[in-house]
Amino acid sequence: QVQLVESGGGWVQAGGSLRVSCAVSGSTLYYAVAWFRQAPGKEREGVSCFSLGDGRTFYGDSVKGRFTISRDTSRNTVYLQMNSLKPEDTAIYYCAISHNWYGDSSWHRPLLYDYWGQGTQVTVSS
């Protein structure tokens, strides 16, 4: 069965960097992999997406220019490199995959994703 396991979260000072990873197993038949985050008391927010069909990437407005999504050679692991971190980046970061591509304007919709990881905590202090 499909499993997604995030890792690499932790604590970092503002301005620092972290790279979180998402290991995918049980299926390679997915068209999109994305990172979401959720802070206490707030809704789940789309952070970034990698379109497997054409290799395009998408980013939420709040992280553009600071975060980079990528995948490894085997396409079994997806990374999110986070630079110039800010306290408002503090959240639990989740990865998710979708078996379909619904269009460029839909990548940030959580309900369109089929499988989710358990999340990894990222804390950024001032």
Side-chain angles (χ1 to χ4, degrees):
Q1 58 185 312
V2 175
Q3 294 185 81
L4 287 75
V5 180
E6 301 96 335
S7 62
W11 176 92
V12 66
Q13 292 274 10
S17 299
L18 282 176
R19 188 180 73 165
V20 291
S21 303
C22 176
V24 181
S25 63
S27 177
T28 59
L29 300 177
Y30 54 93
Y31 285 82
V33 58
W35 287 95
F36 291 80
R37 67 186 182 187
Q38 188 163 23
K42 296 185 178 180
E43 294 185 349
R44 193 159 31 178
E45 174 189 20
V47 177
S48 184
C49 178
F50 195 113
S51 174
L52 276 297
D54 53 21
R56 291 185 297 150
T57 59
F58 303 84
Y59 298 93
D61 290 342
S62 64
V63 307
K64 287 180 179 177
R66 300 189 296 121
F67 291 10
T68 303
I69 190 170
S70 62
R71 59 177 175 157
D72 69 2
T73 302
S74 67
R75 301 186 179 181
N76 290 323
T77 302
V78 179
Y79 304 97
L80 184 69
Q81 178 67 44
M82 302 181 288
N83 298 328
S84 302
L85 282 161
K86 305 174 181 179
E88 52 263 45
D89 295 318
T90 296
I92 300 175
Y93 283 71
Y94 300 90
C95 64
I97 60 173
S98 173
H99 288 153
N100 294 290
W101 181 251
Y102 297 96
D104 293 3
S105 63
S106 299
W107 69 266
H108 61 283
R109 294 179 174 270
L111 57 83
L112 298 181
Y113 289 80
D114 301 293
Y115 300 98
W116 295 81
Q118 84 292 338
T120 185
Q121 176 71 47
V122 172
T123 302
V124 184
S125 62
S126 299

